[in-house]
Amino acid sequence: MMDIFVLSVVLLLCSTQVSTLIKLSPDCLTVLSGDEARFTCSIESAKWDVMLWELNNTVVVTISSIHGVLSSPNPNVTAEKSLNGDGWVFVLKSVERLHEGQVSCNLEGNEKKTASLFVQEKGTVKVFEDNVVALKGQLVQFKCDAVGWYPEPSLYWEVNGKKLSQSEYNLISEQMGKSLFTVSSNLSMTATKSSRVDCLASVSALSTPLRSGIRLTVVTEVVQDEDDCTVPLAVTSSLTALLLLLLLCICTILWYRRRKQAKRSRQDAIRCVESNNGQSLPAESTGGRVNLGYISTTDAVYKELMKGIHSKMDVVSVEKVPDVVTSSSLSLHSGSHAQVGLSDGNSKNIRRVTTV
């Protein structure tokens, strides 16, 4: 009996030592569909000949300690030597939902180690509304759908990068074909200032949530800087009206000056025409100096003067002087008489009048 008890203890210790020689990591792995899954099986000091990798209790890779990978019936599955050289890495490329389950590392003749593989599906997320323009104080509603996820995704809203409380929106989830989930959400909020509204969806295997967002613009304010400083719309309207009024005044002044210049030019032209049609002095028309000693003779004075000259000429008679003296026997008396007559005729005074 004593020998049997000692033998049992020795066998138990040996089996415990063998079981601790195999280490499989990670114990649990979650990946997205289409990604790569990797498990490492490490062996410390035990001697082994063949390593078997199993996926859901089906052998997919066989490895020899001497020759390496012997067979891999699935081209999507392979194995690599670990970096420290004490084990092998099981590689499952382009993981699909059907691969989800148990992954085992089994040293032939020893206890095998098993890990869990979970596969998740990444769907889409979309906010249905386009960019929204609303009046300040108006109630605005947004709708978001996350479609084609597995398992059920986590969906939430952010406004200007700040996560909203779940009490501010609702969630409706339903499972579609192939165990995929669709989650819908409705958000109602009061438009107080211009904001960025985002809907986000995620699963644990996704490092960064997927998001879809729109811009909410409140028309009663203008965002001036990052600190949300705003300028009232009334100030902007007042400045615009003031600029328009100033522009109108400038246009009115220019129009008035132009009209005044045109009127002055028209008056100068009329004055020039009247000056050319009237009887102006030569000095005035030619721009010369006026002779202050010159006395203009009027038509009445000229007529009186000419009348007096004609009356005097009517009183004085002029004897006709013969053209040629032909008689040789002209008496001295006759000659004397002719001379006297000529002298009388020559004694007549003639007044010449020059009219300028």
Side-chain angles (χ1 to χ4, degrees):
M1 290 292 294
M2 188 66 179
D3 293 337
I4 296 174
F5 176 74
V6 172
L7 182 60
S8 300
V9 171
V10 172
L11 291 174
L12 180 62
L13 292 174
C14 290
S15 61
T16 303
Q17 183 179 3
V18 172
S19 64
T20 57
L21 293 177
I22 302 175
K23 183 179 181 181
L24 181 61
S25 62
D27 295 334
C28 180
L29 178 63
T30 302
V31 295
L32 289 173
S33 178
D35 288 352
E36 185 179 83
R38 303 174 72 92
F39 293 88
T40 302
C41 186
S42 301
I43 302 99
E44 293 180 359
S45 59
K47 294 181 180 181
W48 59 279
D49 295 325
V50 177
M51 177 184 291
L52 302 175
W53 283 96
E54 299 177 1
L55 180 60
N56 293 326
N57 298 321
T58 300
V59 177
V60 290
V61 178
T62 302
I63 304 173
S64 169
S65 60
I66 299 175
H67 303 288
V69 179
L70 297 178
S71 66
S72 178
N74 190 341
N76 200 38
V77 179
T78 186
E80 301 173 354
K81 191 73 173 177
S82 61
L83 295 178
N84 53 16
D86 62 350
W88 285 84
V89 179
F90 171 73
V91 181
L92 179 58
K93 302 176 183 178
S94 187
V95 179
E96 298 178 8
R97 287 283 306 282
L98 57 89
H99 296 146
E100 187 175 77
Q102 303 297 317
V103 176
S104 302
C105 175
N106 184 7
L107 294 180
E108 193 174 21
N110 296 291
E111 184 179 358
K112 66 180 179 181
K113 287 290 185 178
T114 302
S116 298
L117 174 63
F118 296 96
V119 181
Q120 297 182 347
E121 294 280 353
K122 178 181 69 174
T124 60
V125 61
K126 179 177 178 58
V127 178
F128 285 93
E129 293 80 3
D130 294 327
N131 292 335
V132 178
V133 178
L135 297 174
K136 188 173 183 179
Q138 180 181 352
L139 186 64
V140 185
Q141 294 185 348
F142 305 97
K143 183 180 180 181
C144 175
D145 279 355
V147 181
W149 295 79
Y150 181 84
E152 181 180 341
S154 172
L155 188 148
Y156 56 96
W157 292 86
E158 286 183 356
V159 176
N160 291 331
K162 183 179 179 181
K163 186 176 181 180
L164 299 181
S165 173
Q166 191 171 350
S167 61
E168 300 181 52
Y169 55 89
N170 68 336
L171 292 173
I172 302 174
S173 177
E174 60 178 346
Q175 192 170 9
M176 302 173 62
K178 296 183 180 180
S179 301
L180 297 180
F181 288 86
T182 296
V183 179
S184 301
S185 179
N186 295 298
L187 170 66
S188 298
M189 59 180 293
T190 302
T192 56
K193 62 181 180 180
S194 298
S195 306
R196 173 75 183 183
V197 181
D198 293 301
C199 177
L200 297 91
S202 178
V203 289
S204 61
L206 192 61
S207 58
T208 303
L210 296 184
R211 69 172 61 221
S212 174
I214 61 173
R215 182 71 181 175
L216 171 63
T217 302
V218 180
V219 297
T220 55
E221 67 172 0
V222 178
V223 178
Q224 193 175 29
D225 53 27
E226 295 181 355
D227 296 331
D228 292 335
C229 296
T230 58
V231 179
L233 185 61
V235 176
T236 305
S237 302
S238 301
L239 291 176
T240 304
L242 183 61
L243 291 176
L244 290 176
L245 182 60
L246 181 60
L247 182 61
L248 182 61
C249 292
I250 294 174
C251 293
T252 303
I253 293 174
L254 293 176
W255 175 81
Y256 177 76
R257 291 183 62 184
R258 181 176 241 176
R259 184 178 178 184
K260 189 174 181 181
Q261 290 177 358
K263 185 176 181 181
R264 184 179 303 167
S265 300
R266 195 181 305 112
Q267 291 177 353
D268 292 342
I270 294 173
R271 192 177 297 114
C272 180
V273 171
E274 291 178 352
S275 175
N276 292 333
N277 293 334
Q279 296 179 355
S280 59
L281 292 176
E284 293 178 353
S285 61
T286 59
R289 294 183 179 180
V290 178
N291 187 1
L292 300 179
Y294 173 77
I295 299 175
S296 60
T297 305
T298 61
D299 293 341
V301 175
Y302 177 76
K303 290 180 179 180
E304 291 293 333
L305 180 60
M306 293 302 295
K307 186 177 180 181
I309 292 174
H310 285 296
S311 62
K312 290 182 179 181
M313 290 179 65
D314 293 337
V315 175
V316 178
S317 60
V318 179
E319 294 182 359
K320 184 176 181 180
V321 180
D323 295 333
V324 180
V325 179
T326 57
S327 179
S328 56
S329 60
L330 183 62
S331 62
L332 180 61
H333 178 75
S334 299
S336 300
H337 179 74
Q339 293 177 355
V340 171
L342 291 173
S343 63
D344 291 338
N346 292 333
S347 64
K348 181 171 49 177
N349 296 326
I350 298 174
R351 184 179 181 183
R352 297 181 179 178
V353 178
T354 302
T355 301
V356 180

